[in-house]
């Protein structure tokens, strides 16, 4: 922001003038005009090429504001794309990668060259508009599936091209100001500009590949991600070679931390929505309150594990860049944990209701051997006890459930002792399979907001959906705890070796990761998945693991601090004894002489 020269503002004592408050207000720059454009260069040495940028050590409000557009994109995409199978999971991960790496490239520019000015605010407005465009793309982003929308993918290519074109303009402005001070950085900035020209052109050249005649274009999807990886590798590589463009004295560390906070905050928004879904129709329930409480604990514990262990102030230029880019898989895992916790809670609700319905039906058939009207009445009563959100989609599905109920009631001797051949607790006669799948599908659609196509059985969607969510959730937790350990290791250096806390922290996070691998292996048994999700133990297990890690962290931090104080005290005492002995020797020598 432009500063008024002190000669233009004369400080006047408030008691001597009635307009002094206005001059003081002006002097404090609260109404100083915003400049159109500011140079990011503070000073430079033409001989050595040494350059100082106007780097900020704290994020400003407009950067935080831009993060909200990212989260809004993610929220919109989550609402329109439920994870029901591997294809929908791949679409979720793919869209997240596209917007994350775009955000990351914008951040790499801003932490070095962004100075608040009219020009910079105009660039932010353009970026906001482009992220709104991402939201439009995300509403129907389903690559590789029969729902693919080629026109939507063409729009995505154009938006990616526009974001890179804007980065070309921003780096060109930075080069204009830098070259006025020194020629030493012409090469890296010029190469960065060329990089985004080529990457933007590559995105734009992909547009014909998504023409209506090209089919689903599956073979070209991967080019997006190849380009994104190349962009990051070259951008970070240039800043590693030309250290004047590194992020050593920037607020990159704070930006990554604040973005992590925003992602955890997205989980808080989801938790409030889950409360309405679980207890909106039934009122307060102890079991539902405990489930929601576990979600809150998980969010809080993740916040504590990240922000209670900030990186060292200086841990190396290259390490800092590796640390920053590793936030992509970390954020991917964190999104899986905070969003997956909501899906796990809804799965518990659905499977609990379905278990009650199944038990009633099994009791009427297997134990009481009901038939005809009595069996129809028992099944209908059990179905009507289910609490489901009242929506048009669900009302359209309910007649199909009643159709299956009446079909069972009209089947003679379907529950006769001769037909009860299984002793397993999940056994029902073959004629009940379509009914149970239909009821599970209706419950799944009612609580997850998933609408099946006319030719799809909702029950067929629910079974793989819960298996996918289970695996994705535990894999996300594995990523989170593993990268918590990696971040501790990568931010230590030779001047700051691992202490008791560091070693214990890495060990506990490693054990938690191994536990996640073991529990995720239970996905091999569908029966185990449904029993575990129905029990409601998934969220308490995650919360308990995080709590144990935090408890060990607190204890070992206390031990580390105690050890450090003891070492400092012993060192001080040793130094004082040595000094006293030296003085004694000197005094004795002086006495002899």
């Amino acid at each position: 922001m432009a500063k008024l020269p002190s000669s233009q503002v004369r400080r006047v004592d408030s008691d001597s003038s009635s307009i002094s408050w206005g001059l003081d207000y002006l002097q404090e720059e609260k109404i100083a005009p915003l400049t159109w454009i500011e140079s990011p260069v503070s000073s430079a040495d033409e001989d050595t090429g040494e350059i100082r940028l106007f780097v900020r050590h704290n994020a400003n409000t407009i950067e935080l504001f831009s993060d909200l557009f990212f989260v809004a994109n993610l929220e919109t995409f989550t609402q329109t794309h439920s994870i029901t199978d591997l294809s929908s999971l791949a679409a979720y991960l793919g869209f997240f990668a596209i917007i994350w790496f775009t955000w990351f490239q914008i951040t790499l520019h801003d932490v070095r060259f962004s100075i608040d000015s009219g020009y910079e605010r105009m660039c932010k407005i353009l970026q906001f508009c482009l992220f709104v465009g991402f939201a439009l793309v995300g509403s129907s982003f389903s690559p590789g599936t029969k729902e693919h929308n080629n026109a939507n993918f063409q729009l995505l290519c154009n938006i990616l091209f526009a974001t890179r074109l804007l980065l070309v303009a921003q780096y060109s402005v930075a080069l204009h100001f830098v070259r006025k001070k020194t020629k030493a950085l012409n090469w890296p900035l010029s190469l960065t500009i060329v990089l985004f020209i080529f990457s933007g052109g590559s995105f734009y050249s992909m547009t014909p590949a998504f023409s209506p005649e090209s089919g689903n274009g599956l073979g070209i999807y991967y080019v997006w991600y190849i380009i994104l990886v190349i962009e990051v590798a070259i951008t970070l590589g240039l800043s590693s070679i030309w250290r004047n463009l590194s992020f050593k004295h920037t607020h990159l560390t704070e930006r990554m931390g604040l973005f992590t906070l925003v992602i955890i905050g997205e989980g808080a928004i989801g938790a409030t929505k889950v409360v309405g879904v679980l207890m909106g129709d039934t009122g307060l329930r102890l079991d539902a309150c405990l489930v929601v409480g576990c979600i809150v604990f998980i969010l809080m514990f993740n916040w504590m594990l990240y922000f209670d262990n900030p990186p060292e102030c200086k841990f190396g230029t290259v390490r800092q860049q590796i640390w920053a880019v590793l936030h992509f898989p970390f954020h991917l895992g964190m999104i899986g944990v905070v969003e997956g916790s909501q899906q796990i809670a809804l799965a518990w609700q659905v499977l609990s209701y379905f278990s009650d319905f199944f038990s009633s039906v099994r009791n009427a058939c297997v134990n009481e051997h009901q038939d005809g009207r009595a069996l129809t009445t028992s099944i209908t009563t059990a179905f009507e006890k289910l609490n489901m959100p009242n929506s048009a989609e669900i009302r359209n599905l309910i007649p199909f459930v009643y159709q299956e109920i009446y079909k069972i009631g009209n089947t003679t001797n379907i529950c006769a002792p001769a037909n009860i051949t299984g002793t397993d607790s999940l056994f029902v006669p073959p004629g009940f399979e379509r009914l149970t799948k239909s009821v599970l599908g209706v419950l799944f659609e009612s609580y997850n907001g998933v609408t099946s196509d006319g030719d799809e059985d909702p029950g067929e969607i629910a079974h793989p959906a819960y298996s996918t969510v289970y695996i994705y959730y535990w894999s996300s937790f594995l990523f989170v705890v593993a990268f918590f350990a990696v971040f501790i290791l990568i931010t230590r250096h030779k001047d700051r070796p691992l202490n008791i806390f560091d070693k214990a922290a890495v060990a506990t996070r490693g054990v938690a990761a191994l536990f996640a691998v073991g529990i995720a292996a239970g996905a091999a048994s569908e029966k185990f998945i449904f029993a575990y999700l129905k029990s409601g133990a998934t969220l308490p297990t995650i919360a308990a693991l995080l709590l144990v890690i935090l408890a060990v962290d607190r204890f070992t931090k206390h031990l580390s601090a105690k050890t450090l104080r003891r070492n400092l005290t012993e060192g001080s005492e040793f130094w004082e004894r040595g000094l006293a002995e030296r003085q004694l020797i000197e005094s004795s020598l002086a006495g002899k002489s």
Side-chain angles (χ1 to χ4, degrees):
M1 183 175 291
K3 296 183 178 181
L4 291 175
S6 58
S7 60
Q8 294 184 17
V9 180
R10 181 173 58 88
R11 179 173 291 278
V12 183
D13 188 81
S14 58
D15 294 332
S16 62
S17 174
S18 60
I19 62 171
S20 62
W21 65 270
L23 294 175
D24 289 340
Y25 192 68
L26 180 62
Q27 188 173 12
E28 292 173 6
E29 303 179 69
K30 293 184 178 178
I31 58 173
L34 182 72
T35 57
W36 283 108
I37 193 168
E38 284 277 355
S39 171
V41 181
S42 172
S43 62
D45 189 327
E46 293 186 3
D47 297 328
T48 63
E50 186 73 22
I51 187 172
R52 287 185 176 274
L53 300 175
F54 275 116
V55 294
R56 291 176 285 111
H57 300 290
N58 301 100
N60 56 23
T61 53
I62 197 168
E63 289 176 322
L64 300 179
F65 187 42
S66 65
D67 290 348
L68 298 180
F69 280 83
F70 181 99
V71 175
N73 268 280
L74 206 58
E75 174 66 18
T76 302
F77 189 79
T78 302
Q79 288 183 349
T80 56
H81 292 74
S82 294
I83 297 176
T84 58
D85 52 24
L86 292 179
S87 296
S88 58
L89 176 59
Y92 191 92
L93 301 181
F95 185 74
F96 179 85
I98 289 173
I99 60 176
W100 191 92
F101 279 107
T102 300
W103 169 87
F104 189 60
Q105 288 293 350
I106 293 172
T107 299
L108 294 182
H109 169 272
D110 289 351
V111 297
R112 294 178 293 179
F113 303 110
S114 177
I115 303 294
D116 189 23
S117 62
Y119 152 76
E120 190 62 36
R121 294 187 182 187
M122 287 300 300
C123 290
K124 284 299 176 187
I125 291 174
L126 293 175
Q127 290 168 2
F128 296 163
C129 293
L130 292 171
F131 268 86
V132 171
F134 278 129
L136 176 60
V137 171
S139 62
S140 56
F141 184 82
S142 301
T145 65
K146 61 183 179 181
E147 296 88 4
H148 69 274
N149 185 338
N150 280 4
N152 202 51
F153 296 149
Q154 289 180 330
L155 176 60
L156 175 59
C157 292
N158 291 329
I159 292 175
L160 290 172
F161 165 70
T163 57
R164 272 55 188 181
L165 191 63
L166 181 57
L167 285 171
V168 168
Q170 289 182 290
Y171 276 106
S172 298
V173 171
L175 175 61
H176 168 72
F177 284 107
V178 169
R179 68 186 302 175
K180 287 183 176 180
K181 301 291 185 178
T182 178
K183 307 296 183 183
L185 296 181
N186 285 0
W187 263 108
L189 288 176
S190 298
L191 289 174
T192 303
I193 294 170
V194 171
L195 166 67
F196 288 115
I197 289 175
F198 274 98
S199 63
S202 299
F203 286 128
Y204 187 76
S205 65
M206 292 172 62
T207 305
F210 296 108
S211 61
E213 300 80 18
S214 64
N216 64 7
L218 183 59
I220 201 71
Y221 293 139
Y222 306 105
V223 178
W224 285 330
Y225 308 105
I226 294 173
I227 295 173
L228 294 174
V229 172
I230 292 174
E231 281 183 342
V232 170
I234 294 179
T235 304
L236 296 181
L238 291 174
S239 62
S240 299
I241 297 172
W242 283 273
R243 295 299 178 93
N244 287 334
L245 289 179
S246 71
F247 309 92
K248 191 171 184 179
H249 299 291
T250 66
H251 60 285
L252 178 63
T253 302
E254 183 185 9
R255 288 291 291 120
M256 304 310 294
L258 291 175
F259 194 65
T260 303
L261 180 64
V262 170
I263 289 178
I264 297 175
E266 163 66 13
I269 297 173
T272 59
K273 293 180 179 179
V274 168
V275 172
V277 175
L278 295 183
M279 295 180 282
D281 297 328
T282 62
L284 282 176
R285 293 172 17 230
L286 178 60
D287 54 353
C289 288
L290 293 175
V291 168
V292 174
C294 286
I295 296 177
V296 175
F297 281 128
I298 290 171
L299 297 177
M300 185 63 186
F301 291 160
N302 276 302
W303 175 85
M304 294 172 67
L305 285 172
Y306 186 89
F307 289 99
D308 284 355
N309 303 293
E312 301 293 330
C313 295
K314 296 180 180 179
F315 54 96
T317 300
V318 176
R319 287 192 177 201
Q320 184 190 35
Q321 295 175 3
I322 296 174
W323 175 87
V325 79
L326 285 179
H327 272 69
F328 168 67
F330 173 72
H331 285 159
L332 196 60
M334 186 63 73
I335 281 289
V337 170
V338 300
E339 293 289 345
S341 295
Q342 305 163 36
Q343 299 300 319
I344 293 294
L346 296 176
W348 163 78
Q349 177 91 322
V350 168
L351 295 177
S352 296
Y353 283 162
F354 177 75
S355 178
D356 294 339
F357 170 80
F358 185 85
S359 298
S360 299
V361 171
R362 189 177 187 281
N363 179 67
C365 181
V366 176
N367 297 332
E368 299 180 3
H369 305 292
Q370 294 181 3
D371 201 6
R373 179 174 295 181
L375 180 59
T376 301
T377 302
S378 297
I379 298 175
T380 302
T381 302
F383 179 69
E384 291 176 349
K385 287 182 179 179
L386 299 177
N387 292 310
M388 292 181 291
N390 187 16
S391 64
E393 292 81 5
I394 302 305
R395 288 196 296 269
N396 291 334
L397 291 174
I398 288 177
F400 294 100
V401 175
Y402 281 113
Q403 182 179 344
E404 294 297 327
I405 294 175
Y406 297 144
K407 184 185 295 184
I408 290 174
N410 292 329
T411 303
T412 306
N413 295 326
I414 190 173
C415 293
N419 294 328
I420 309 301
T421 58
T423 58
D424 188 87
S425 60
L426 298 179
F427 171 79
V428 288
F432 285 81
E433 291 180 356
R434 286 187 58 84
L435 171 65
T436 54
K437 280 189 176 182
S438 297
V439 172
L440 179 60
V442 170
L443 286 169
F444 174 75
E445 291 200 10
S446 63
Y447 281 98
N448 290 80
V450 178
T451 303
S452 59
D453 295 336
D455 56 346
E456 286 184 307
D457 185 353
E460 296 294 339
I461 299 176
H463 276 77
Y466 287 133
S467 299
T468 303
V469 168
Y470 178 85
I471 297 172
Y472 173 52
Y473 186 63
W474 280 104
S475 300
S476 299
F477 177 75
L478 169 64
F479 268 62
V480 169
V481 293
F483 279 101
F484 275 143
V486 171
F487 289 160
I488 291 175
L489 293 174
I490 206 171
T491 56
R492 303 301 186 257
H493 47 80
K494 59 183 180 181
D495 297 329
R496 165 64 168 86
L498 297 178
N499 56 25
I500 297 174
F501 160 72
D502 298 329
K503 296 175 182 178
V506 172
T508 53
R509 287 153 177 77
V511 171
L514 291 176
F515 181 86
V517 172
I519 202 72
S525 170
E526 188 176 88
K527 183 178 179 180
F528 171 80
I529 292 177
F530 278 78
Y532 190 52
L533 292 177
K534 181 180 72 68
S535 68
T538 309
L539 295 177
T541 302
I542 296 289
L545 287 172
L546 295 176
L547 180 60
V548 170
I549 294 174
L550 284 170
V552 174
D553 283 0
R554 291 297 173 188
F555 178 70
T556 53
K557 278 185 177 181
H558 172 72
L559 289 181
S560 296
K562 186 177 180 180
T563 302
L564 180 60
R565 282 194 296 268
R566 184 175 64 250
N567 292 338
L568 291 175
T569 302
E570 291 176 353
S572 177
E573 292 175 351
F574 177 79
W575 183 81
E576 290 176 355
R577 285 197 304 269
L579 182 61
E581 291 175 358
R582 181 179 178 181
Q583 291 175 346
L584 182 61
I585 293 172
E586 290 177 350
S587 61
S588 63
L589 292 175
K592 290 180 180 180
S593 62

